[in-house]
Amino acid sequence: MLVAAVLASSVVAFGSVYIASPGAGPVNIALDQCLADVQEATAYVPPDDAAIHGAALMRLCMRPFLREQALWVGAGILGELLVAVLLYLLHPWWLSRRRRMRPIASGADAELLDELADLSRQAGLRRPPTWLVAPYSTTQGGQAFGLADRRRICLDVGLLVRYDLDRAGFRAVLRHELAHLRNGDVDRTYLSIATWWAFVAVAVVPFVAVALKPDLFRVRGGPDTVRPVAEVWFPIVALGVLTAVVYLARNAILRARELHADITAAGWDTPGGALGRVVNALPWPPVRTGRIGLGGRWTELLARLGSHPSPTRRALAVADPRGTLRPGLAETAGYGVVLGLALYNVSLTVGGLVEEYLVIALALLSLGVGVLLLHLLARAVLHAGAVEAAGTRRRLLLPVVAAVGFALSGPFSLTYAENYDLGGTGLLRVTEWPVTATTLAVGLLLFAAWVRSVDTVLVESTGRCHGRRRLGTATAITVGAPLFAIWYATVFGGSILQGVQRHTTQSGWGIDWYVQLAGWTSIVHSYYPRILVQFTPLATAGLVLLWAVPALLLGWFRRAGHGPPGVRRAFRIGAVAGLGVIAVGLALPFAAHAVLPGDIRHLPANFNVEDLTGTEPLYFYMVYGNTYVAVAALLQAVGAAVVAARSTRLRPVLVPLAVTTTLAAATLGFYLSRGISDCLRLTGPGGRACELPSFLPDSYITFHLALIATSGVLLAVPAALLAAAAGGLWRRRTNTSGINVGVAPIATPTGDADAAPRSARGVLAVGLAGLALLVLGGAAAEVPGNYAFWKPDPVPIGTSPVPPPERVAAAGDPCLVGTWREVSREFDLELAGRTHRIITTGITQAFRPDGVVVVDYGNDTRFTTTIDGQRIDIVWSGQIDARYEVQDGVIRYDAERSHESSTTVLVDGKVRARLGSGSWTSDRYSCTTDTLIETPTDAGTWYRIELRRS
């Protein structure tokens, strides 16, 4: 992790140095010109084409710059690695020279040499080290160092004096140094030190120089570039924090090596040996720290953050080696910080190189980091149980501090420091940071609860079978790491809250409850992170793995298997909730047919589902489908809450079991509801016929399965957490035995599955197996669709070229050029199932000679009417400009360039819809000196616009 953090930060540092290099100047100039050409070329094309082709053309512009920068960064990292290796190779020479070490001559005290040889053999070293002495060091310590082919141990001259005065203490010190060789600490220690110094010399120093003087490496006349103070110092401060983190990580490695050496040496020491006495006699704070001259508390703090642990800590490690496995909260937070720095720093550079595969690249990058983070967290959570008194509290705090550390790493990354003006997006958005950090903390907390819960039951039921325990942890990582990757990909792109908005309906604006229903049920359905999870196998397969793997490990599928309390109950609760979804689904068509008129339910004759986008208003069939999914999600949450409240252990396993059971029933119930809808002709005469296929699953069943699963989990997670807390409080108040998830042992591994007859246990096993195979089969069948979703579509630049910017309107009719004010705009508008004639005035159209028309709606161009006693207001505001051309008395438009206009529909003063600018259609016109008349070219529509020259 230390190396990964250093290299990832170096990516940004070397990228910044490249931008300040002389060779970047011509590339930047060409890049700016290319981007300006793309912006002009895509200014007046349809928005969809501009989004696709414009982004592709911009990537072509960026490609030379990114490739040059990548080569520069690669060379810098290679140089940094070479410097680190060189420093490591030179460390024996440097230490020997600095401390003026001398070999212990073979003709020296024979008894001393025999003692050293005996200690080497006791350590079990294949090759004894070379023994040296530091003649000018009066302390009583030693130092192990050297390369792999020639390890060395240097003895201070004071230690040789101790050989005569305290032979046991002498042996204790030498055993500690030999333990470093036995544990392989030398390479880890000096590679860590070399990596840190290479980072400082090769990356930090040039970055600081460029930050203070951007034109340092450029030879040119004129004054230096003047930059704001914040722009200069913010990167330096961030780099200082990062350097401190790397330095502290290095010291943590060195402290861990010292403790490990003490534990190893204690195993070689004789009973009543001197190791504990020698450790306790060490000066604390160290002499070097005490020379700084700070106060007592600050000196103590600096000493604890140094490269050697305190004598008390070392004595505790020798007395209880298992205590070193207990994870510290600061260490776990450090995991999050270091991994966050590594991932966040490398994301932008890699994202630029992969171009249209940005989301996939971010997901794959963060997948590896997620595996490592979850592995470390799982190990920390399992080791935290060694101290039962503090185990529960520590297991709750470990995932929280890991999440906070990861979330806080963003502001300290060099990527953010170099782009601090963009800090309002992504992981660092001020308004979204609490949501992102809380989401990660909850996810890691659930992960830790699942790991601990399953591990506890495995140990109690099957004994300490390490293979099964590792399989359980691997299952949690398999499910959790991809979810972490999707979380990071959405957070980095600033889309963690994307889609959390209420959509409006296409018709039925005057029915308050219908508008509210459409708005609320569209929130979860359009949530972007949920959509990403839906199009992965995790949407359904991951949900099954969370309970199926423990079921296999514990033998739930065997007829005579033993299941913990709650398995049958969770299965029954999920089935009851699923039947509830089916019942509501059967009633929905009749309810909709009874309370909604046909003009709201029926689809237009020319309706084409392929024309819909995520921003279109909702048709009835979409509101109906969202409502069914919302009902299924709510009942999944209810089932999860009941199971979580009534269970006292294995909640993280039983809740997914209940949710999966409800999911399977709800997916089948969707087709029953659809069949009844077809029989009732709910959406009009153009729908499906009332036949048997309407009630049978079709090729979209896996899509519906994943949609209901992801929507249900979004609601089931908070519902289960709240219910678990409420259930625990209730049991505590009523003095009943309530034990949190997987914390306390069970007296016997039996439960309600054992109390039931063998036939009942067989039915349960068949039901669980069938449920798992059904949902896993659906996940497997959806894999091709998942692949198609994530695979970027090729950009057809050659088949649909961007119009050149020099194209302008035909200048054959100078009468049209000028500014015109509408005195009458008449058109028909469909409102609440009726056609209404709209008449308004005040809009301005300006036809410019360069082929651009600007339509200005003003701030409040309003039309007001009354429908069924309700006041309807249609308000236009803003302006739009587009390219136009004239031919044969017809004005043709390309598309709007700007989207600074809006159309708002209000019913009795309440906003019912916010519409876009709509499509641009050709106008047939007639023009005189002062009058302009515009009418449609399509006989199927009608409007008339009369204008006067302004």
Side-chain angles (χ1 to χ4, degrees), residues 103-459:
I104 298 179
S106 58
D109 188 351
E111 184 181 359
L112 172 64
L113 295 176
D114 291 340
E115 182 76 25
L116 296 178
D118 288 341
L119 291 174
S120 298
R121 285 191 295 270
Q122 186 183 58
L125 301 179
R126 288 181 296 179
R127 180 184 301 177
T130 300
W131 298 97
L132 305 173
V133 62
Y136 301 98
S137 180
T138 59
T139 57
Q140 299 180 2
Q143 185 173 12
F145 65 102
L147 302 180
D149 60 339
R150 189 186 178 191
R151 301 298 191 192
R152 310 176 189 185
I153 294 181
C154 176
L155 283 63
D156 296 340
V157 70
L159 184 62
L160 294 179
V161 175
R162 191 169 193 169
Y163 172 74
D164 295 320
L165 302 179
D166 182 11
R167 187 69 58 88
F170 172 83
R171 292 168 179 165
V173 174
L174 264 296
R175 287 190 179 108
H176 174 87
E177 298 304 325
L178 289 167
H180 280 306
L181 301 184
R182 176 67 178 272
N183 296 337
D185 293 342
V186 172
D187 292 334
R188 298 172 186 171
T189 298
Y190 291 101
L191 276 174
S192 299
I193 296 173
T195 300
W196 187 77
W197 280 113
F199 172 66
V200 171
V202 182
V204 173
V205 172
F207 181 86
V208 173
V210 169
L212 294 175
K213 193 175 180 61
D215 301 321
L216 179 66
F217 300 123
R218 294 176 182 168
V219 180
R220 64 169 189 168
D224 292 339
T225 304
V226 179
R227 298 192 297 167
V229 176
E231 186 178 342
V232 174
W233 285 105
F234 193 86
I236 296 178
V237 171
L239 185 65
V241 174
L242 173 63
T243 305
V245 169
V246 175
Y247 181 73
L248 293 176
R250 186 205 75 155
N251 287 351
I253 293 172
L254 301 182
R255 291 196 302 271
R257 296 303 94 210
E258 293 297 321
L259 292 177
H260 193 191
D262 285 337
I263 294 172
T264 303
W268 302 332
D269 206 359
T270 58
L275 182 60
R277 173 171 55 84
V278 171
V279 168
N280 287 321
L282 293 173
W284 188 260
V287 177
R288 232 178 240 185
T289 306
R291 292 173 183 170
I292 299 178
L294 298 176
R297 290 185 177 180
W298 288 103
T299 302
E300 178 73 16
L301 177 62
L302 289 177
R304 290 187 178 279
L305 297 178
S307 58
H308 281 70
S310 66
T312 303
R313 182 76 178 88
R314 297 177 68 170
L316 289 175
V318 172
D320 182 16
R322 287 177 56 85
T324 59
L325 298 176
R326 299 167 189 168
L329 297 179
E331 296 168 350
T332 306
Y335 292 154
V337 171
V338 174
L339 290 176
L341 287 171
L343 181 58
Y344 199 78
N345 279 333
V346 79
S347 294
L348 275 183
T349 301
V350 173
L353 293 175
V354 298
E355 298 181 349
E356 67 267 21
Y357 291 88
L358 174 61
V359 176
I360 299 176
L362 288 177
L364 292 178
L365 278 173
S366 50
L367 181 63
V369 173
V371 170
L372 181 56
L373 177 63
L374 295 180
H375 170 71
L376 293 171
L377 179 59
R379 194 168 63 176
V381 168
L382 295 179
H383 287 304
V387 185
E388 189 62 33
T392 302
R393 183 174 64 254
R394 185 175 294 270
R395 282 195 297 273
L396 291 176
L397 291 177
L398 286 172
V400 173
V401 298
V404 172
F406 190 95
L408 287 178
S409 65
F412 302 124
S413 66
L414 292 186
T415 296
Y416 174 71
E418 282 294 277
N419 303 277
Y420 74 99
D421 56 324
L422 303 178
T425 61
L427 187 63
L428 309 174
R429 190 191 298 269
V430 176
T431 57
E432 290 191 4
W433 188 89
V435 177
T436 60
T438 302
T439 303
L440 180 60
V442 171
L444 296 183
L445 186 63
L446 294 174
F447 170 84
W450 193 95
V451 168
R452 182 58 185 170
S453 177
V454 173
D455 184 79
T456 300
V457 177
L458 282 174
V459 172

Side-chain angles (χ1 to χ4, degrees), residues 828-899:
D828 291 337
L829 182 64
E830 189 79 16
L831 286 175
R834 303 178 187 176
T835 301
H836 298 267
R837 177 64 53 86
I838 305 298
I839 303 176
T840 186
T841 61
I843 301 174
T844 300
Q845 299 185 30
F847 291 89
R848 296 179 353 202
D850 61 352
V852 174
V853 58
V854 179
V855 180
D856 189 351
Y857 295 100
N859 295 327
D860 188 3
T861 300
R862 182 181 297 261
F863 166 79
T864 302
T865 187
T866 300
I867 302 177
D868 295 335
Q870 293 178 309
R871 175 176 170 174
I872 308 297
D873 292 282
I874 303 176
V875 182
W876 294 273
S877 61
Q879 70 175 25
I880 311 173
D881 57 310
R883 283 198 178 274
Y884 76 95
E885 61 181 1
V886 179
Q887 186 177 8
D888 299 330
V890 175
I891 309 173
R892 291 183 172 85
Y893 307 93
D894 279 342
E896 68 270 21
R897 175 181 183 180
S898 63
H899 299 269

Side-chain angles (χ1 to χ4, degrees), residues 726-751:
L729 292 175
W730 174 259
R731 282 186 292 272
R732 178 173 297 181
R733 290 188 60 183
T734 56
N735 295 323
T736 57
S737 60
I739 303 171
N740 287 332
V741 181
V743 173
I746 311 176
T748 59
T750 61

